[in-house]
Every structure is written in structure tokens, then in C-alpha cells.
Amino acid sequence: MRISSYLRKLIILTLLIGAFPVLILGWYSYHYSSQSVLQQVEERNSQVLRQSQLRVEQTLKMIDFSTTQLLGLPIVTKAIATKLDIDDMEIIHELYKHLSSIQTFELGIKDVYLYSLEQDWLITNSGLDAYNQPGLKEKLRSFSGMPNGSMWVSGNSASIQGAEGMVELNHAVINLKKWPINASRPRGLIAVVMSAQQLSDLIDSDPGMGDVFILDEDGRVITHPDSSQLGKDLSEEPYIQAVRVQTEANGVFSGMAGESKASISFRKSGYNGWTYVSVVPTQAVTREATAIGRTSILISLGVLAATAITALIGSRRMYTPVRSIYRSLLPDKEPRPKKDEFTAISDRIQGILSDQSKLRFELAGQQQQLTEFLVRKMLLGEARSQGIQERLADYGYGHTGDWTLMRVLLVEIDRLGSSRFTEQDRDLLLFAVSNIALEVVPEGDCLPPIVIRESVVMLIGTKTQSEEAFKEAVYARAAEVQASVKSYLQLQASIGISRSCTAWPEVSRGYEEGENALKYRARLGDEVILFIEDVQPARRKDIIYPKTLEDELTGAIKSLDRQRAEEALTLMMNTLASEEYDHQEYQMSLVRLLMALIRLLQDSGISHHQLKPDGDPLFEELLGMHNPRDIEEWFKDTLVQPAIGLLEERQRNQFTSISEEVKQLIAEAFDTDLTLEKCSARLNYHPQYISRVFRQETGISFTDYLAQYRLTVAKKWLKETDLTITEIAMKLKYNNPANFIRYFRKMEGITPGQYRNNLTE
């Protein structure tokens, strides 16, 4: 709404009058709350420090009292003057029991050391002189000259440290007490170690309100909420120096803690000289005050908003009807025109009328797309049956309401391999086929064709024809579309036609039937027009799978006979295609044949992945083909021929392996009664099979190869050994030396003796 100048000034004045007291009130609230909260926090921190000091010192005094009682026990005073050894186990056990009795969970004692300065022995939680700690004894002995009979020291500044790191006292608190307690030269010493964690548990600390910690006399941190600060020397910090110069036992002051301002509270202990410190950042102190100030500002802003609303109510009450019309016609996102409201409303109404005319014109141009979208949903079973006819009437297809019979036609291109087109052109070709179908079939007899996957789908209807006449008319239209596709695109196309539908919900069933009809191309060939009722049998026929032909095909593959395998495959494909049964059963027969061929390879130890290492899965390729010639070629090129090649290669490898194994047996057992039968028993093959394979691979028989090998060995022995001719003949398993000499002369032309003499000369 356009606001007048007077109304704008009135609103500004009202806001100023309301803003001034709000700002004053907010500043005063913040300042007062900050001082009040700071005072309360300082008082609370002082109480926290006092309570923490009382709890800590109460615990320390209890430990002090417990050690005093322990040193007063007769068993302890007696043991300190005694040279303890292995024979005093009863006394040692009694001492250890008393030491353990003061280590209660409530006191948080970490360890107790009882040291006899007179007899130089040390008892700890680990026993008498545990791990032989001479370093610890020396450190404890250094405290025998302390002026007080009992004192508390921090493990950070104490000189007590274990030898070789065996006793770790860092960050601990230690109570040292002499026995006798006031003796200048004590006879014994007891040290009680308390963990810093136990002290931290005794201190009240609010993480959101700063840190509370304890310093020893040297300014080192004994306990702190942040464990990384333990043992740190803070004596050089300005606010710690300010605490140490204070003469009062407790107090509060403001200072700098690091780089931020803070409120610092402290209490100095007269019991052990420790200092209890609380550091609260000023930001944490004023956090509550800031929240109060923010709340005050929000409340003031609310009051200011209420004042402005009250000022505007009177002027807007009369303007409400005009404002409602104005806002309904001009949304807030649009720029507001620089004119009066009634003129703007008039211009807006004229624009709406103009937009309505344009929308009607654009809707008329979109009817084709809307109709195709509706037809697609009907074919896929996604459209609700209610309202379909009304929507078709709105899109200009009201004549479909008179249809009594409908059929779904699916047009698919058979193949592109032998044409001038490629798979990349398929989408454009389907678009062209859709336009051809739209031109061939009269507009009053069909709805616009649409493309679903690789098919052009068309819904044809009639209002006067009978079932038989409608079927003939649909066939004529399909043949005309098929002929036009071949004429214009030089492509073969097949058409699947559903049964008749009488209502819109049956259209999705018709689409499925058209798809099923096209699947019978795998048996009937290309460029066909298939009615589902003609190709799909009315009743199922018993499936007859040609198992004999399958055995003939697999036998030819096993025999590595390529020609016979191709002939058996052709006969198998023709037999399967000639059977009159459902297309799915035909595909199952093809899958069964595929499984038989894969099983043949697996039985021979060959994986079916070797047929097509980088191709698509075999089953998907097979089920995706629809032409019987393509299926036969696929079986031949993808399965039969490669399978024979793989079996031939495997047989060659097997023959080579058998031949090499026989040669190895001859090399190992030539000097025994080696026969072909013994070799076959070793290799688990039939003797005749081994004989045939060996002759095929080496060119000679097993007996000749064995004789030649023994001859080679004999020549080597004649040259390198002193064996007689008879001994060599016996070792080579000849029946008598004469047979050996006769074979040697036959092969070498001289006798074994002459061969050796020639070598000697």
C-alpha cells in the first residue's frame, strides 16, 4: 500500500518517541545487571574458595592425623629400630597391613613410604626395599633435616623422585613426618603421597565461571581443572604476583589473566602455605548481564512495534477493502507502480484478460503433447480410468468416446546392420516412423503414436465395424505403414497387434500383448505382421525339446568336428523354430541349449567367461535377439566355434603335458623294468592313449625312445666310468650283454668296446 507523506512522518515521530526511553532503559538495565552479577559472582567465588579450602585442609589434616597415629604404634616404633630381613616376614607383613589401612578411597592416598633412617630399610606398597630403590632412599633422607616435624610439599617442587623413573611423584602432594617428630636427628621418616586428581575432586568448580586452582609456596600449580597446567610455574604471572604481595589472607580484585580481563579471588592457607585462587573472565561474569540487556532490548522493541501498530490501525481500517483487492492483484514480489491504487487495479485486470487469451492460444498448441502424455500413461497402466474420456475431449479427441473396439499396434525396425543407418540413428528413425504412421492412419481412427523404448506404439479404434472387419482393417493399416517405412526409409519393420480392447483400462493389456506378438519374430523372421491371437496358441502344447539333436551337437563339439557341429546347430535351430508353442517356451529352449554348451565347457575345465571376456552377459544377449538367423549365427560365432577352439587348445596342452611326464618318468626310471603299462598306471591314463599321444608329440614310439635314451646313458658311462660292458648291460636292464652289444653296433656302427677304445685313443 502506498503511504502518504503525513502518515510516513507520523510513523517516524512515533518510533523516535518510543525508541528514546527504550534505549535509556536498555542501557541502565545492562549497566545495573553487570554490576550486580559481578558482585554476586565475586561473593560466590569467595564462598567456593572457602569451602574448597576447608575440604582440602580437612582431608590433609586427616592424613596428617592418620600418619601420626601410625608412627605411634608400638609395632612401628619397634620396627624402625630393627634390622629387618627375610626372617622378619611377620613384622613386615604387620607393617604393610598398617600402611595399607590408611590408604582409604576417601583420603585418595596414592602411596605410603615408611623409611628407617637408623636401619636403612624402606617399606612401600610393593614391599620391603621393593625393586631396590637407593635413589628414593637418598631423596627421603634429605628431608630428615627439615625444621618442622611434619610438612606438606608439592611433588612439582619436592626433591623426591624415583630412581630410573621407578617412582613417579610429579603432580602429587606429599606429607612428610619425622619420628620422633621433634627430633633434630630422627630415626625414621614416613611419606604419604596424595594424587592431584583427588585434590581436584575436593574443589568446587563451575566450568562456565572460570578456573579454581591451588598454588604451592613456590607458585607452582598443585591442582587445576586443566591437567596440562599441573606443575606449571605461575609465579611470574602479573595477577599471581599481585596475590603474593597481598597482606590479607583473602580478597578479591580485578586484573589481567593472560590477555583478558578477569575477576580474581584468593585465599592464603596458614596450615601449609598454599594459595587458593579463582580466576573468572569478565566475559563470563557479564554473560548473564548481557542476556538480561538483550531481553530488555527485545521487550522494548516489542513495545515500539506495538506503538507503531496502534498508530497505523485507525488509518488502515477504512483502507482495508482497497488494500485486499490491491494485494490480491499485485503480489508483494512485483514492483509497485507509481500511480494510485484504482488505476493500478484497472491495469492489472486488463493484463489478466490479455494473459488469459494468450494462455488459451498456447494450450491449443500443447494439445498434441498432452494427448501423447495421456496415451503413454494409459499404455503403461499409470492412468486412472476415471476422467480419461473427459481429458481426451478437452484435447480435441472427443470422437474416441464412440469407439467400441480398440487395438494396440507396435512397430519395430527389424535390423540396422545391413542398412545405411547406425544405432546412433535409431531415435531419429523411430521419430520418422511415428510421423509415417500418423500420415497413413486417418486422424479419426487413431490417437497420436508415441515412442516407447524401441517401438512406435499406436492405438487404433472403430465405432461401427465388427470384430472380423476391424481385424482386416487394422491389418490393412499395418501393411500400409510397413510398406511406407520400407519405401521411404529402405528399412524392414515388423508390427505386433494386440487383441481387441473395449475399455480404456484394457489398453495397458493391449500394449503387453503387442510386445509379446513381436517376440515371435525370433521364429517367423523379419518384416512380419503378427496378431497375438494368431501366434500365441490358445492352449499350451506339450514341450518337446530335441535332446537327441542337442547330444548330436555336443558330440560334434567334443569330436572337434566343425562342419558336423555347424550342421547339427542348423538342424537344432530349425527344429526349435518349427515347434508351435509359446514364445517364452521357445526362449527357454534356447536357454537350455546355451546351458548345455556352457556345461560342456565346464566339464572340460573351461570357464564360459573365456568365450567373451569383455562382452555383455550371454543370457542377456540371447534374450535380446528376435531373428532366427541372428540367433543361429550368434550360437555359431559366440559358442560353437570358440568352444571347439578352446577344446583343441586344451587337448594340445594336455598332449604336451602327457608327453613331458612320460619323458620325465623315463629319465628317472630308465635303469628299471620300465614299461608302457607302468607309465600309464603312474599317470592314470590308458596305455594305448599314452602310446598314441607320445608318438604324436615325439614322432617315435615309447619303446624306441626308451632304447635311445638308454643308449645315450650307455655312451656316457663308457666315457666317464670304468664299468664293464656286462655291468652296463645289466644296469640298463638288457637280458644279456650280447643283445646290448648288437643294439649298440646297430645304432653306432661299432661295438661298445671299440667305442671306448676310440675315446681312449
Side-chain angles (χ1 to χ4, degrees), residues 144-399:
S144 61
M146 61 184 181
N148 299 327
S150 175
M151 65 180 297
W152 284 91
V153 297
S154 169
N156 301 310
S157 58
S159 57
I160 298 179
Q161 296 293 332
E164 292 83 26
M166 300 174 68
V167 179
E168 178 61 46
L169 300 180
N170 196 24
H171 308 327
V173 179
I174 308 165
N175 177 234
L176 297 166
K177 192 180 295 293
K178 298 187 296 184
W179 185 85
I181 191 167
N182 293 320
S184 59
R185 297 184 62 184
R187 300 170 61 189
L189 192 69
I190 187 170
V192 178
V193 182
M194 185 179 183
S195 65
Q197 180 61 40
Q198 181 64 20
L199 287 180
S200 297
D201 296 340
L202 298 175
I203 295 176
D204 291 332
S205 179
D206 185 357
M209 293 300 294
D211 299 327
V212 178
F213 54 90
I214 304 176
L215 301 177
D216 62 9
E217 294 179 346
D218 297 327
R220 294 182 179 274
V221 178
I222 297 175
T223 179
H224 197 284
D226 185 1
S227 58
S228 63
Q229 298 292 323
L230 295 178
K232 186 175 182 180
D233 187 0
L234 300 181
S235 59
E236 299 300 325
E237 292 289 336
Y239 71 94
I240 297 299
Q241 292 180 356
V243 170
R244 301 184 72 175
V245 300
Q246 295 286 339
T247 57
E248 294 82 1
N250 56 78
V252 180
F253 64 93
S254 298
M256 295 295 295
E259 297 181 357
S260 60
K261 295 179 63 177
S263 174
I264 301 166
S265 304
F266 68 91
R267 292 186 69 87
K268 297 181 179 180
S269 174
Y271 172 66
N272 51 16
W274 291 354
T275 303
Y276 298 78
V277 182
S278 172
V279 178
V280 181
T282 303
Q283 181 180 4
V285 174
T286 58
R287 187 181 298 116
E288 296 182 10
T290 303
I292 295 173
R294 187 181 298 110
T295 303
S296 300
I297 292 175
L298 291 176
I299 294 174
S300 300
L301 291 176
V303 173
L304 181 61
T307 303
I309 292 173
T310 302
L312 292 173
I313 288 177
S315 59
R316 293 197 177 190
R317 284 181 66 97
M318 298 300 297
Y319 197 76
T320 300
V322 178
R323 181 182 59 185
S324 299
I325 298 174
Y326 184 79
R327 287 187 175 180
S328 62
L329 295 177
L330 294 176
D332 293 337
K333 295 182 179 179
E334 294 186 6
R336 297 177 180 178
K338 297 180 179 180
K339 57 183 70 175
D340 64 85
E341 288 77 0
F342 290 99
T343 303
I345 291 172
S346 176
D347 293 344
R348 184 59 177 171
I349 292 175
Q350 293 297 328
I352 291 174
L353 294 176
S354 176
D355 293 341
Q356 186 177 7
S357 300
K358 293 180 181 178
L359 182 60
R360 289 178 178 175
F361 178 78
E362 293 176 358
L363 183 60
Q366 297 295 326
Q367 286 182 354
Q368 181 75 14
Q369 289 80 357
L370 292 173
T371 305
E372 292 179 359
F373 179 71
L374 178 59
V375 173
R376 178 184 296 272
K377 295 187 68 175
M378 284 194 297
L379 292 171
L380 298 179
E382 300 175 357
R384 292 181 297 179
S385 58
Q386 297 179 353
I388 291 180
Q389 186 58 51
E390 290 77 4
R391 293 169 65 183
L392 288 174
D394 293 339
Y395 301 155
Y397 292 90
H399 60 274

Side-chain angles (χ1 to χ4, degrees), residues 427-444:
D427 291 339
L428 292 176
L429 292 173
L430 291 174
F431 178 74
V433 172
S434 176
N435 290 334
I436 291 174
L438 190 60
E439 292 292 333
V440 169
V441 182
E443 183 178 357

Side-chain angles (χ1 to χ4, degrees), residues 541-547 575-576 579 581 585 589 592:
K541 184 180 179 182
D542 294 338
I543 301 174
I544 302 176
Y545 179 75
K547 186 66 171 61
T575 302
L576 291 177
E579 292 290 340
Y581 45 64
E585 295 169 352
S589 298
R592 181 175 176 179

Side-chain angles (χ1 to χ4, degrees), residues 34-195:
S34 298
Q35 296 298 323
S36 177
V37 170
L38 178 60
Q39 183 178 1
Q40 293 177 5
V41 169
E42 290 177 349
E43 292 178 357
R44 184 173 62 182
N45 287 344
S46 298
Q47 292 296 327
V48 169
L49 278 179
R50 182 175 178 275
Q51 293 174 3
S52 299
Q53 180 183 3
L54 290 176
R55 276 196 296 270
V56 171
E57 292 186 356
Q58 182 181 5
T59 302
L60 299 181
K61 289 176 182 180
M62 289 178 64
I63 295 174
D64 196 348
F65 177 74
S66 298
T67 54
T68 302
Q69 284 187 326
L70 180 63
L71 289 177
L73 294 176
I75 184 65
V76 176
T77 58
K78 177 182 177 181
I80 289 177
T82 304
K83 182 69 173 180
L84 299 179
D85 54 22
I86 194 65
D87 297 330
D88 300 311
M89 289 303 299
E90 184 176 354
I91 297 176
I92 295 172
H93 180 71
E94 189 69 21
L95 289 174
Y96 181 74
K97 182 172 69 174
H98 286 295
L99 291 179
S100 301
S101 66
I102 69 173
Q103 297 185 52
T104 62
F105 175 78
E106 291 79 5
L107 296 180
I109 296 176
K110 183 178 180 182
D111 207 342
V112 180
Y113 306 114
L114 180 61
Y115 181 33
S116 175
L117 298 171
E118 183 176 338
Q119 299 299 331
D120 193 28
W121 51 258
L122 176 67
I123 293 180
T124 69
N125 284 345
S126 303
L128 179 64
D129 289 337
Y131 306 108
N132 192 9
Q133 302 173 348
L136 182 58
K137 289 180 180 180
E138 292 300 324
K139 299 303 180 180
L140 291 175
R141 187 182 295 276
S142 65
F143 283 94
S144 61
M146 61 184 181
N148 299 327
S150 175
M151 65 180 297
W152 284 91
V153 297
S154 169
N156 301 310
S157 58
S159 57
I160 298 179
Q161 296 293 332
E164 292 83 26
M166 300 174 68
V167 179
E168 178 61 46
L169 300 180
N170 196 24
H171 308 327
V173 179
I174 308 165
N175 177 234
L176 297 166
K177 192 180 295 293
K178 298 187 296 184
W179 185 85
I181 191 167
N182 293 320
S184 59
R185 297 184 62 184
R187 300 170 61 189
L189 192 69
I190 187 170
V192 178
V193 182
M194 185 179 183
S195 65

